[in-house]
Amino acid sequence: MRGTSMKLQSLRRAVFGMSATALLVVGAAAPGHTAAGGATKDSATAERASAAAAAADPVLRDLAAAKGVYYGTAVTASQLTGTYAAVTAGQFDSITPGNEMKWGSVEPVRGDFRWSGADAVVDFAERHGQKVRGHTLVWHSQLPGWVENGTWTADALRTVVNDHIATEAGRYKGRIDHWDVVNEAFNEDGTRRQSVFQRVLGDGYIADAFRAARAADPAAKLYLNDYNVEGINAKSDGMYNLVRSLKAQGVPIDGVGLQAHLIVGQVPSTLRANIQRFADLGVDVAITELDIRMPLPATDAKLSRQKADYKAVTEACLAVARCAGVTVWGFTDSDSWIPDFFPGEGAATPYDENYQPKPAYYGIAEALGWSGEPGPGPGPVGGCQVAYSVQNQWSTGFTAQVTVRNTGATPVNGWRVDWTWPSGQRVTQAWNARVTQSGPAVSAADASYNAAIAPGATVTFGFNGTWSGANAAPTAFTLNGANCAV
């Protein structure tokens, strides 16, 4: 039911606040680096606590829960460490493996199943109290060659499909909340895509796939998923007619997924009406792969429009009782597929490449009921001291840490540390601070949870950067405009 108590959010913030202090004492793992040993519940707690390293006040998963929906993200299993893992765990209550459950990933050779990536995603979700959206069982793309190029009879291919579904869905029985059973089955005009499955098995392959998935995992919600079906158009009409037919046949279809790979300023005006008409068929609806790309470079105007668009999509889901939730297709621009597939376009996700929240993030939060603002501005400084150290350096990059001590007699409430690079270095990724750079000038602001520095206390943040020719340390730092001892 929607309208769940907001106590979850207050509790999570309190936990973040208590854990963050300990995290600063022991030091957070840099992105791409993990402590020795396997994942434990203690490390999971640390990941959740350090979510504040890249997130501002709103906690999307708790805001969504209060509205009776989920807010999820697609993830890359190999990146589930450091800040990437922290934001994933702290902000989202559902995760989708971006590639790890696709046929080519799990069964590249017939009967040779490879589960490490998919297992990593499911295990991560279970450690952090998250749902998993399984993606995907039957899809024309990212198929292994033995399926795509095989010489099949209908009976032989049907056996292969059923075996694949039974094995994969069966492996994760009871651990998957939603399965995208069939993905991208339609052409733009609403006719069936001529995949190997459609050519060999005919129209019935979709119904058969849903029946096989239900047999393999009776508890999972089973979805039909596609793109360019967000508004009412020929393609979504084809999908609508199929869902209506499947329901009439008693096929176990529980929902439809609208991928929502959108362009800034082009959210379909019929999105809400389209969600509603599918819901009226007696199925759930989810926004499953939301990103909103723009021509590069990003500008304030484009980012403002993107914020409004993310807000509008989220609000359209909230407006329909059977809309189950929203998943963004990757939360950070550093892990987005857009630039590779749409040259000259990008900046499509709610976080930038340095894990800093963009206006879109706040648009989502506002749609989910958040009415606050980003953390407090910098406060006055009585005195400060900065220690800068390079912890690791390689041919083109380095990892550095900055520790700031309040040497004054009064607390610092909100902080910003500024410096200028002497050798052309550039910050590429940061944790425990929100870092921006213009030319050689760098500003690092508090991550909201660590905004207060008591007299005599310290705050520590770190970053990865690039360098060439030299990697000389900065010679001067300021804290909220006051010069610091170095």
Side-chain angles (χ1 to χ4, degrees), residues 210-405:
F210 276 86
R211 293 185 181 105
R214 175 66 85 230
D217 188 352
K221 294 291 185 72
L222 307 181
Y223 275 66
L224 180 69
N225 193 53
D226 217 320
Y227 66 94
N228 287 353
V229 292
E230 296 75 33
I232 296 176
N233 55 35
K235 190 172 187 178
S236 65
D237 284 347
M239 189 176 187
Y240 178 87
N241 291 332
L242 174 61
V243 173
R244 182 171 57 185
S245 173
L246 294 176
K247 292 288 289 183
Q249 298 171 53
V251 175
I253 180 170
D254 300 304
V256 297
L258 315 181
Q259 290 185 13
H261 297 296
L262 304 175
I263 301 172
V264 162
Q266 298 184 28
V267 175
S269 61
T270 53
L271 173 60
R272 177 178 172 180
N274 194 40
I275 296 173
Q276 185 65 63
R277 70 166 177 162
F278 278 105
D280 290 343
L281 290 176
V283 295
D284 293 337
V285 183
I287 306 296
T288 55
E289 303 183 20
L290 176 62
D291 48 36
I292 305 179
R293 64 187 186 271
M294 65 182 68
L296 297 175
T299 64
D300 288 345
K302 294 173 188 174
L303 292 171
S304 178
R305 178 68 259 180
Q306 185 186 56
K307 174 184 178 181
D309 290 344
Y310 267 97
K311 185 174 182 179
V313 172
T314 304
E315 288 175 337
C317 175
L318 292 173
V320 179
R322 293 201 69 152
C323 188
V326 179
T327 296
V328 293
W329 200 248
F331 65 87
T332 169
D333 291 342
S334 67
D335 190 37
S336 173
W337 69 293
I338 295 295
D340 291 334
F341 284 81
F342 298 94
E345 298 182 80
T349 75
Y351 284 75
D352 69 17
E353 292 183 350
N354 294 320
Y355 299 107
Q356 306 308 314
K358 292 155 58 178
Y361 167 86
Y362 296 102
I364 294 168
E366 289 170 7
L368 293 171
W370 182 70
S371 58
E373 297 293 336
V381 174
C384 53
Q385 184 177 42
V386 171
Y388 174 89
S389 63
V390 174
Q391 298 180 304
N392 190 20
Q393 181 171 305
W394 54 98
S395 59
T396 59
F398 68 103
T399 299
Q401 180 173 286
V402 178
T403 299
V404 182
R405 181 178 297 277

Side-chain angles (χ1 to χ4, degrees), residues 70 93-95 101 122 130-134 172-180 214 217-223 254 284 324:
Y70 66 82
D93 56 356
S94 174
I95 57 176
M101 286 185 173
V122 175
Q130 296 167 307
K131 300 175 181 178
V132 178
R133 185 174 192 90
Y172 299 107
K173 180 179 179 180
R175 303 173 73 188
I176 302 294
D177 193 66
H178 303 129
W179 267 112
D180 289 331
R214 175 66 85 230
D217 188 352
K221 294 291 185 72
L222 307 181
Y223 275 66
D254 300 304
D284 293 337

Side-chain angles (χ1 to χ4, degrees), residues 4-17 56-67 90-91 361 365 368-372:
T4 311
S5 169
M6 288 291 288
K7 290 181 180 178
L8 280 172
Q9 185 169 348
S10 299
L11 177 61
R12 194 180 311 281
R13 285 183 180 168
V15 172
F16 282 1
D57 287 340
V59 180
L60 300 184
R61 60 185 289 164
D62 293 341
L63 292 170
K67 295 290 186 180
Q91 287 291 346
Y361 167 86
L368 293 171
W370 182 70
S371 58

Side-chain angles (χ1 to χ4, degrees), residues 7-53:
K7 290 181 180 178
L8 280 172
Q9 185 169 348
S10 299
L11 177 61
R12 194 180 311 281
R13 285 183 180 168
V15 172
F16 282 1
M18 290 186 292
S19 301
T21 303
L23 182 65
L24 288 171
V25 173
V26 303
H33 300 76
T34 56
T40 65
K41 289 191 175 180
D42 287 341
S43 67
T45 301
E47 288 169 351
R48 292 290 294 276
S50 64

Side-chain angles (χ1 to χ4, degrees), residues 16 29 66 100 112 156-157 163 183 262 352 369 399 414:
F16 282 1
E100 290 80 3
D112 179 11
L157 184 57
D163 287 349
N183 193 45
L262 304 175
D352 69 17
T399 299

